[in-house]
Amino acid sequence: MEPNPLKGQPALVTGANSGIGCAVAKALAAAGAPVVVNYVVDPAAADRVVDEIRSSGGQAMAIQADVGREDQVQSMYRKMFEAYGTIHILVNNAGLQRDAAFVEMTLHDWEFVLSVNLTGQFLCAREAAREFLRRGVAPEVSCAAGKILCMSSVHEVIPWAGHVNYAASKGGVMLLMKSLAQELAPHRIRVNSLCPGAIRTPINVSAWSTPEALANLLTLIPYGRVGDPEDIGRAAVWLASDASDYVNGTSLFIDGGMTLFPGFSTNG
Ligand code: BGC
């Protein structure tokens, strides 16, 4: 790939003040994109991401918005357009877990996860698509009119007991992404998903922070290591760049083989 494949392409990364979103924001900025670091709580963490990007010579600004709220999403886009003029890349990253045994799961836990993980992706993608359609292709920066990257999960295909709200949201993201890709492709808008497996971030600390938990987790990962947020950042740069121009409607699993049914490697 050329040195600054995303130069001149403003990007919005939701939930970019921690974990995977933070690594993706930094990777896109390092590839030349001016980046909006969206957050909903912990403004200090968002400011740290912005400062880090700026001190490495990149362009970034933080904007607060709850992605599940239409008014807040629309006002975030207005602020982004005032500062950067337009959007070329949306990374629909904001997501969370509220785990519970199915019979204990409250309606609030169900609705909260669906609101952030699925409705949030709908609202942010709709505003981005409206702007892509209005502007069309800007051939000096990209051969596509816009790129949407949905942060999904291995749990768009792996059922997950104790996490039915989360798994349902990611299954929903899969068909949201594919249906959008089908609808928007004639307008030269690409829509794809990144599907991380176990990545070392705050969302799954309990799965890797003790030796016992880590050993257990590694039995699910044929490649023998937990992923780093930068593994996702690098893939995001490629999927947002013209290097992947013919890739549309695809789920890219970045999981060290977690989706390869490792339980079947010795029997079955
Ligand atoms: C979840 C993590 C989990 C990973 C693999 C992710 O989508 O957010 O908590 O470790 O999937 O199961």
Side-chain angles (χ1 to χ4, degrees):
M1 251 188 285
E2 77 238 52
N4 279 316
L6 307 181
K7 192 162 177 272
Q9 299 188 55
L12 165 62
V13 184
T14 63
N17 59 343
S18 78
I20 289 175
C22 163
V24 168
K26 289 185 203 166
L28 299 185
V35 174
V36 169
V37 173
N38 158 259
Y39 67 99
V40 63
V41 291
D42 199 356
D47 288 343
R48 279 196 296 277
V49 179
V50 168
D51 288 347
E52 241 186 275
I53 290 174
R54 288 182 181 161
S55 58
S56 333
Q59 239 183 304
M61 68 186 288
I63 304 181
Q64 183 178 30
D66 176 344
V67 295
R69 294 274 309 275
E70 186 175 38
D71 54 339
Q72 295 188 27
V73 168
Q74 290 176 334
S75 118
M76 168 170 65
Y77 272 89
R78 278 194 297 274
K79 289 179 191 151
M80 177 176 185
F81 297 160
E82 271 164 35
Y84 293 151
T86 188
I87 181 170
H88 280 264
I89 299 159
L90 165 66
V91 183
N92 253 337
N93 168 78
L96 45 76
Q97 291 180 215
R98 286 291 178 276
D99 310 328
F102 180 59
V103 293
E104 309 288 335
M105 190 173 282
T106 63
L107 178 60
H108 179 264
D109 285 344
W110 171 265
E111 287 180 340
F112 186 42
V113 169
L114 269 289
S115 157
V116 176
N117 296 14
L118 187 56
T119 305
Q121 294 217 15
F122 157 72
L123 287 172
C124 292
R126 193 186 58 178
E127 296 311 309
R130 286 174 174 165
E131 172 64 6
F132 299 158
L133 292 174
R134 184 199 66 75
R135 194 200 56 241
V137 178
E140 65 286 2
V141 294
S142 175
C143 42
K147 282 85 55 162
I148 298 174
L149 276 56
C150 300
M151 199 58 69
S152 185
S153 163
V154 291
H155 298 295
E156 73 169 42
V157 292
I158 302 179
W160 207 12
H163 308 74
V164 297
N165 47 1
Y166 184 84
S169 74
K170 296 302 184 180
V173 165
M174 177 178 65
L175 278 177
L176 168 68
M177 179 278 286
K178 287 178 193 277
S179 304
L180 267 184
Q182 191 189 62
E183 184 166 340
L184 298 175
H187 304 281
R188 291 211 144 231
I189 296 167
R190 295 194 295 118
V191 191
N192 291 285
S193 286
L194 295 160
C195 301
I199 308 295
R200 216 178 283 272
T201 73
I203 210 173
N204 59 0
V205 175
S206 62
W208 49 262
S209 55
T210 65
E212 303 73 43
L214 181 62
N216 202 22
L217 179 60
L218 288 176
T219 65
L220 300 175
I221 309 172
Y223 204 60
R225 71 168 173 92
V226 176
D228 296 313
E230 292 71 27
D231 288 310
I232 311 301
R234 284 186 293 271
V237 169
W238 176 74
L239 211 44
S241 77
D242 284 354
S244 62
D245 188 55
Y246 209 45
V247 180
N248 196 19
T250 289
S251 292
L252 177 60
F253 289 86
I254 307 163
D255 66 351
M258 191 176 245
T259 38
L260 298 175
F261 295 95
F264 281 76
S265 55
T266 52
N267 57 27

